Amino acid sequence: MKIGDLAKRTGLSTHTLRYYERIGLLPYADRDRSGQRDFDASILTWIEFLGRLKTTGMPIRDMLRYAALRDEGDATGSSRRQILEVHREQVRTQIAELQECLLVLDTKIAGYASDEQRTKENDARPNARRKPLRSRTAGPVTH
Amino acid sequence: MKIGDLAKRTGLSTHTLRYYERIGLLPYADRDRSGQRDFDASILTWIEFLGRLKTTGMPIRDMLRYAALRDEGDATGSSRRQILEVHREQVRTQIAELQECLLVLDTKIAGYASDEQRTKENDARPNARRKPLRSRTAGPVTH
DNA sequence: ATACCCCTTCGAGCGCGCTCTAAGTCAAGG
DNA sequence: CCTTGACTTAGAGCGCGCTCGAAGGGGTAT
């Protein structure tokens, strides 16, 4: 499988795929006689799993640790399991935090909701006037 | 309230607080006669709310849009509500994704679990050997 | 042979969100 | 008076995860 095809299948750019290989997140792919990468189809599973790790906020450096252990073979199974168990716990925490935030958002939105009738709460502005600022800090102001 | 106190209370560094003021995420704070910031206690509520937005992945540029509307006063209530409603939807999606990933992690871990007995599945390595690489790309290798 | 398009490597650049340094001011305590 | 320590501004630098550009090669269709 060529890199372009893999890109289409995974939604990653060819640039990103090469980058991943370069840093060791993907195994070094076979090259055909003209030097082009020929990916094994099984790479799809691995990339998908990496996607899960990424979605759940695992930094690349940790994925690299995991990938390295994977390369070392069977003996590293329990280390890998441990990494995943620790990570799973972080994901659980993350979900709990988000759910808490969701409640706060609900409350806040409810405060704005009541029939376009303004409540004090949602409009409280701490320190009076806000300085426009943004002199040399930013360019054409995109905000 | 001095910036140092506020830093302690919020867990943000004084650097970060000044940075937030600079970009307009915090209102321009009053200065005492010697030029030092004197924050209104009500800023705590705002910072806490910003924290929620941050936790849920809202980029600073969007927080700035929200903050700007807030400064414009009561008339912007419905725009602000809209921003939050859109964001809430994204948070919900995010949570759903994480929960899906959690299931995948559970499965993966279960695969490693079974009494230290290696299963094929969890060790499948796509393209044979992995090149060490990492020649000029990185320094002393921290991974 | 000539396009055309996808591929290659190497290395620079970018957007984000801080984070830190430098150089200096100010107020309180010993 | 002198030190200490928290504060001030302006601006440079950093870690992350890509993202892109330049310069060139290969294989196929016309």
Side-chain angles (χ1 to χ4, degrees):
Chain A
M1 188 189 262
K2 291 288 187 68
I3 198 170
D5 301 340
L6 187 58
K8 266 164 218 147
R9 277 169 191 271
T10 59
L12 300 174
S13 72
T14 57
H15 285 303
T16 301
L17 289 169
R18 284 190 210 102
Y19 166 70
Y20 280 179
E21 187 198 71
R22 211 160 66 212
I23 65 174
L25 210 49
L26 297 183
Y28 185 79
D30 293 334
R31 305 297 201 267
D32 66 16
R33 47 229 170 310
S34 72
Q36 297 191 3
R37 285 169 185 81
D38 184 19
F39 288 96
D40 184 312
S42 68
I43 199 77
L44 282 165
T45 315
W46 175 236
I47 291 176
E48 196 193 338
F49 182 61
L50 288 178
R52 300 290 186 175
L53 296 181
K54 183 181 160 187
T55 295
T56 52
M58 181 184 283
I60 282 183
R61 84 183 83 85
D62 291 357
M63 298 185 202
L64 286 173
R65 281 205 309 128
Y66 184 85
L69 287 170
R70 190 156 163 279
D71 278 1
E72 283 173 36
D74 291 3
T76 65
S78 66
S79 309
R80 280 180 275 161
R81 192 188 61 220
Q82 211 183 102
I83 290 175
L84 296 188
E85 278 170 356
V86 169
H87 184 59
R88 178 171 58 179
E89 220 29 57
Q90 290 173 356
V91 176
R92 284 188 181 136
T93 305
Q94 210 184 135
I95 290 175
E97 271 177 17
L98 289 181
Q99 278 166 343
E100 209 186 311
C101 290
L102 209 46
L103 290 179
V104 173
L105 280 174
D106 286 341
T107 308
K108 195 85 180 175
I109 288 167
Y112 280 124
S114 28
D115 218 30
E116 300 299 300
Q117 201 60 27
R118 231 56 333 284
T119 66
K120 275 87 215 295
E121 231 268 56
N122 268 338
D123 285 326
R125 285 182 295 154
N127 278 23
R129 67 255 117 65
R130 200 179 287 265
K131 213 181 171 188
L133 222 344
R134 165 149 348 290
S135 39
R136 78 189 102 276
T137 305
V141 184
T142 355
H143 325 307
Chain B
M1 187 190 263
K2 291 286 187 68
I3 198 170
D5 302 339
L6 187 58
K8 266 163 217 145
R9 278 168 190 270
T10 59
L12 300 174
S13 72
T14 57
H15 285 304
T16 301
L17 290 169
R18 285 191 208 100
Y19 165 70
Y20 280 179
E21 187 199 70
R22 214 160 63 212
I23 65 174
L25 210 47
L26 298 183
Y28 185 80
D30 293 334
R31 305 294 203 267
D32 66 15
R33 48 233 169 308
S34 72
Q36 298 192 0
R37 285 170 185 81
D38 184 19
F39 289 96
D40 184 311
S42 67
I43 199 77
L44 283 165
T45 315
W46 175 236
I47 291 176
E48 198 193 334
F49 182 61
L50 288 177
R52 300 290 187 174
L53 296 181
K54 182 181 159 187
T55 295
T56 50
M58 182 183 283
I60 283 183
R61 84 184 82 85
D62 291 357
M63 299 185 200
L64 286 173
R65 282 205 308 129
Y66 185 85
L69 286 171
R70 190 156 162 279
D71 278 0
E72 284 174 33
D74 292 3
T76 64
S78 66
S79 310
R80 281 180 275 160
R81 192 189 59 219
Q82 210 182 100
I83 290 175
L84 295 187
E85 279 171 354
V86 168
H87 184 58
R88 177 171 59 179
E89 219 30 56
Q90 290 172 357
V91 176
R92 284 186 181 138
T93 305
Q94 210 186 136
I95 291 175
E97 270 177 17
L98 289 180
Q99 279 166 342
E100 209 185 311
C101 290
L102 209 47
L103 290 180
V104 173
L105 279 174
D106 286 342
T107 307
K108 195 85 179 176
I109 289 167
Y112 280 123
S114 30
D115 217 29
E116 299 299 300
Q117 201 61 26
R118 247 18 15 264
T119 66
K120 276 86 213 293
E121 230 269 55
N122 268 337
D123 284 327
R125 285 183 296 154
N127 279 21
R129 67 252 117 65
R130 201 178 288 266
K131 212 180 172 187
L133 221 353
R134 164 148 348 291
S135 38
R136 78 191 102 276
T137 304
V141 184
T142 356
H143 326 306

